[in-house]
Amino acid sequence: MTSSELWSHETAERYDAGETERSSAAVLGPTLGFLSELAGDGRALEFAIGTGRVGVPLRERGVPVVGVELSEHMAAVLRRKVDGDRLPVALGDMATTTVPGEFTLVYLVYNTITNLLTQDEQVECFRNAARHLSPGGRFVIELGVPPLRFLPPGQLAVPFDVSDRHLGFDTFDLVEQVLVSHHLSRDGEDGRYRRTESRHRYAWPAELDLMARIAGLELERRVADWDGTPFTEDSPQHISVWRKPA
């Protein structure tokens, strides 16, 4: 098992309710279009498939999808939506778990590679993607750019959401390249807040390109979002596509 933190039963059960906006057709449409185009007539493998926010509707678009998921609780929620014959899921970590066959697409969305808390494990994730890809296949990652430009001297926290029902901020260990996301979420109408946090290892685009190179993959494209907006120095996130040489 890798250093990824395990998602609990409680977290898995409330996950979908907290991601209703990102699960909407307006948000998911460009994501599914981007991924289905890359998959073509082949199969897709989703690392850290979770509750199937992307994998289930991608399969409904006609792309055969297989998943890898570390948390049995997250996989159990997915299994209520689709059975194992239609969308197989292997329980295990995304750095070492293998599944049978080759794929034209391996993808990893929503910052999930940062769940691997060491550089070595992130490199192994790239290698694992490469070993599953057919020649000419692509590995896709959706990842935020570390927001260190917002850190003035002496400050170690950056807010990313301030709303009536949620307060979120990240704290940074700049030496270990680790951030902790802190969440204060109001669950009910009584004003009570639930506090949670999660650890992540952030990585720069250039660092990911080197990981890809180690795995034998070549950068094909980098854009700022699923709509294909050009990536610039001001982009808060990137969608990167690496290709396995034919």
Side-chain angles (χ1 to χ4, degrees):
M1 184 181 293
T2 67
S3 59
S4 295
E5 297 175 343
L6 278 171
W7 291 65
S8 67
H9 172 76
E10 180 185 3
T11 302
E13 290 297 320
R14 65 171 180 258
Y15 183 82
D16 284 349
E19 296 297 330
T20 53
E21 181 178 353
R22 293 184 64 88
S23 301
S24 67
V27 174
L28 268 184
T31 305
L32 300 176
F34 192 107
L35 295 175
S36 60
E37 181 179 353
L38 290 180
D41 295 329
R43 299 194 303 158
L45 173 62
E46 181 173 356
F47 285 167
I49 193 170
T51 65
R53 180 182 67 89
V54 174
V56 171
L58 184 62
R59 187 204 168 278
E60 292 172 351
R61 283 203 173 200
V63 178
V65 177
V66 177
V68 170
E69 174 55 44
L70 182 61
S71 169
E72 62 179 314
H73 304 295
M74 296 287 277
V77 175
L78 181 152
R79 194 52 67 225
R80 298 174 200 158
K81 305 172 184 177
V82 59
D83 62 50
D85 291 334
R86 291 185 294 162
L87 202 166
V89 175
L91 287 177
D93 68 80
M94 56 187 155
T96 62
T97 302
T98 59
V99 299
E102 290 187 330
F103 299 82
T104 57
L105 173 67
V106 179
Y107 66 95
L108 185 56
V109 298
Y110 204 11
N111 303 320
T112 314
I113 194 171
T114 65
N115 291 353
L116 299 170
L117 298 178
T118 70
Q119 186 182 67
D120 286 345
E121 290 172 350
Q122 291 179 353
V123 169
E124 288 306 312
C125 181
F126 272 82
R127 284 178 166 155
N128 198 25
R131 72 172 58 100
H132 284 93
L133 286 173
S134 57
R138 276 88 168 198
F139 182 36
V140 176
I141 285 182
E142 175 189 23
L143 184 60
V145 177
L148 301 190
R149 294 169 65 184
F150 296 103
L151 279 176
Q155 180 175 313
L156 293 177
V158 173
F160 58 83
D161 185 34
V162 179
S163 63
D164 290 341
R165 306 199 69 85
H166 179 253
L167 169 64
F169 62 94
D170 293 329
T171 55
F172 293 84
D173 182 333
L174 301 181
V175 174
E176 297 297 328
Q177 210 163 301
V178 169
L179 67 85
V180 180
S181 288
H182 305 263
H183 302 267
L184 289 171
S185 305
R186 190 166 68 181
D187 287 332
E189 299 302 326
D190 58 1
R192 294 183 181 181
Y193 281 82
R194 169 177 44 85
R195 179 175 179 177
T196 58
E197 62 182 42
S198 58
R199 299 175 67 229
H200 307 268
R201 182 188 185 271
Y202 62 84
W204 300 95
E207 184 181 4
L208 298 179
D209 290 342
L210 183 56
M211 294 180 189
R213 193 173 178 181
I214 291 170
L217 305 176
E218 302 170 347
L219 180 66
E220 181 176 79
R221 184 175 17 153
R222 174 167 292 127
V223 292
D225 54 37
W226 297 106
D227 289 313
T229 303
F231 179 75
T232 71
E233 64 180 12
D234 295 319
S235 299
Q237 69 164 13
H238 60 96
I239 314 297
S240 295
V241 181
W242 298 272
R243 184 175 181 271
K244 184 174 183 177

